[in-house]
Amino acid sequence: MSTASIPGYTYGSAAVPRSPLTLEELEHLKQAVTFGEEDVAALRRSREALAGRVDEILDVWYGFVGSLPQLLRFFSHRETGEPIGDYLQRVRARFGRWILDTAAAEYDQAWLDYQHEIGRRHHTGKNATDGADSVPSIDLRYVIALIHPITATLRPFLEASGAAPEEVDRMHDAWRKAVILQVALWSEAYVR
Amino acid sequence: MSTASIPGYTYGSAAVPRSPLTLEELEHLKQAVTFGEEDVAALRRSREALAGRVDEILDVWYGFVGSLPQLLRFFSHRETGEPIGDYLQRVRARFGRWILDTAAAEYDQAWLDYQHEIGRRHHTGKNATDGADSVPSIDLRYVIALIHPITATLRPFLEASGAAPEEVDRMHDAWRKAVILQVALWSEAYVR
């Protein structure tokens, strides 16, 4: 899917506000996660293993979200509680692109800005991008909680790439750090 | 160290305010982390592997915090920037006990209440317990970032227990989930 056809995907565009954090603050945060050049390289190697299987990964993640009412409600109508199909589909397209963007591992200003935008869209900016009539925010505790299932469920896809076990471990660890780093950045939209 | 001799350690006492979350909400959050009875059992098995090495684990963690100025500042004087030895020592004693409490894996009301208290002490309640003249809050993004180094550095200690590799994996995964779950709970003190 070309990025132009992903609804609401604005990474790198002038529509994305500047992050309140500087690139130096990003560097400090990366150090705290022990995220280094080896992780950048491992993420980029993982892109090949994952790029052809994005839809299957999303099936697993959406299956998980759909299995837990406390998660599905974030994609459901705020009054009726009915899941909003159109909203789920629009977010799914961006979620798929997020897999590729995370594996691309570009930690520049455009990327930093978009992390804050993603955080904002989980909280005060939720629903607006998709015109959804859903609950006003995803509770931050659930955003943090999902670090585990999101990263744990990637492992079978990394293993299926045929990489040696140590290489799977390296790519998996890089993904764990990358997701923790991003959730840490997203949390800024909740506390500022 | 008996818990009575740990400065500011109030787990289970009447001094701990009630958590704003219910036990049912905790249960929902555990589901989102995919935290189950197998993880409880694995954490409890890890207690034996870790209990005799708490000081060595703390040496690793304090070495990491001391190596990064952006972390050490949270334990430093808010004006002079000098690390506060007494504050570091008092927190260290509670941190050691936290390892044992996490491995005890009791997810009852007293535990839930204390998680909120720990979150509060990272933010609006920082410094008061120890009479420290430090910065007023630990930025939430760093609390989230530390999920990685805290859990990654435990692995050598789990391996040194002599457990089989699959058992090390199980205990390590349970620790990852447990720390993510706790940080998710601590974040409530920042967003409420």
Side-chain angles (χ1 to χ4, degrees):
Chain A
M1 189 183 276
S2 84
T3 58
S5 61
I6 300 173
Y9 179 77
T10 55
Y11 185 174
S13 84
V16 180
R18 190 86 166 185
S19 167
L21 296 178
T22 65
L23 285 172
E24 187 186 13
E25 287 172 315
L26 170 60
E27 204 52 46
H28 287 167
L29 194 64
K30 283 160 71 178
Q31 291 169 351
V33 183
T34 71
F35 187 96
E37 284 308 312
E38 280 191 22
D39 298 300
V40 169
L43 282 172
R44 290 180 183 165
R45 294 197 304 274
S46 82
R47 202 169 197 260
E48 200 175 342
L50 302 175
R53 307 197 62 188
V54 165
D55 261 320
E56 292 166 83
I57 296 168
L58 291 170
D59 283 346
V60 172
W61 291 349
Y62 268 58
F64 182 70
V65 168
S67 74
L68 293 178
Q70 64 269 47
L71 298 179
L72 190 57
R73 68 182 285 274
F74 298 125
F75 298 96
S76 301
H77 193 280
R78 66 190 161 77
E79 280 171 5
T80 67
E82 279 297 307
I84 305 169
D86 183 57
Y87 184 31
L88 281 158
Q89 277 313 113
R90 287 172 60 98
V91 170
R92 183 182 166 114
R94 295 199 296 275
F95 211 162
R97 182 66 207 183
W98 174 83
I99 296 172
L100 300 178
D101 288 341
T102 300
E106 299 289 353
Y107 295 97
D108 55 11
Q109 187 69 51
W111 181 86
L112 181 62
D113 293 344
Y114 204 55
Q115 297 316 303
H116 197 70
E117 175 66 2
I118 292 176
R120 202 186 63 80
R121 291 183 186 188
H122 281 72
H123 187 44
T124 54
K126 186 173 178 288
N127 302 325
T129 304
D130 303 299
D133 210 3
S134 185
V135 296
S137 171
I138 299 179
D139 296 332
L140 181 60
R141 68 180 184 276
Y142 279 112
V143 178
I144 297 171
L146 288 172
I147 292 170
H148 186 81
I150 288 290
T151 52
T153 53
L154 279 182
R155 190 170 181 94
F157 293 96
L158 296 172
E159 286 172 342
S161 71
E166 316 85 69
E167 166 70 353
V168 171
D169 281 345
R170 266 194 296 266
M171 293 190 290
H172 197 199
D173 258 347
W175 263 92
R176 284 195 191 97
K177 295 185 195 181
V179 175
I180 289 170
L181 177 68
Q182 290 190 51
V183 170
L185 291 170
W186 301 346
S187 76
E188 286 290 312
Y190 286 78
V191 296
R192 291 216 171 224
Chain B
M1 190 184 273
S2 85
T3 59
S5 62
I6 300 174
Y9 179 77
T10 54
Y11 185 174
S13 84
V16 179
R18 189 86 166 184
S19 167
L21 296 178
T22 65
L23 285 172
E24 187 186 13
E25 287 171 316
L26 169 60
E27 203 53 46
H28 288 167
L29 194 64
K30 283 161 71 177
Q31 290 168 352
V33 184
T34 71
F35 187 97
E37 283 309 312
E38 280 191 21
D39 298 299
V40 169
L43 282 172
R44 290 180 183 165
R45 294 197 304 274
S46 83
R47 203 170 197 263
E48 200 175 341
L50 302 175
R53 306 197 61 189
V54 165
D55 262 319
E56 292 166 82
I57 296 168
L58 291 170
D59 283 345
V60 172
W61 291 350
Y62 268 57
F64 182 70
V65 168
S67 74
L68 293 178
Q70 65 270 46
L71 297 179
L72 190 57
R73 66 182 286 273
F74 298 125
F75 297 98
S76 301
H77 192 280
R78 65 190 161 79
E79 282 171 5
T80 67
E82 280 296 307
I84 305 170
D86 182 58
Y87 184 32
L88 282 157
Q89 277 313 115
R90 287 172 60 98
V91 170
R92 182 180 167 115
R94 295 200 296 275
F95 212 163
R97 182 65 207 183
W98 174 84
I99 296 172
L100 301 177
D101 288 342
T102 299
E106 299 288 355
Y107 296 98
D108 55 10
Q109 186 69 50
W111 181 87
L112 180 63
D113 293 343
Y114 204 55
Q115 297 316 304
H116 196 71
E117 175 67 2
I118 292 175
R120 203 185 62 79
R121 291 182 185 188
H122 281 72
H123 188 43
T124 53
K126 186 172 176 290
N127 302 325
T129 305
D130 303 299
D133 210 2
S134 185
V135 297
S137 171
I138 300 179
D139 296 333
L140 180 61
R141 68 181 184 275
Y142 280 112
V143 178
I144 297 171
L146 289 172
I147 291 169
H148 186 81
I150 288 290
T151 52
T153 53
L154 278 182
R155 189 169 182 94
F157 294 96
L158 296 172
E159 286 172 343
S161 72
E166 317 84 70
E167 166 69 352
V168 170
D169 282 344
R170 266 195 297 266
M171 292 190 290
H172 197 199
D173 259 347
W175 263 92
R176 284 196 192 98
K177 295 185 196 181
V179 174
I180 289 170
L181 177 67
Q182 289 189 52
V183 170
L185 292 169
W186 300 347
S187 76
E188 286 290 312
Y190 286 78
V191 296
R192 287 208 176 232

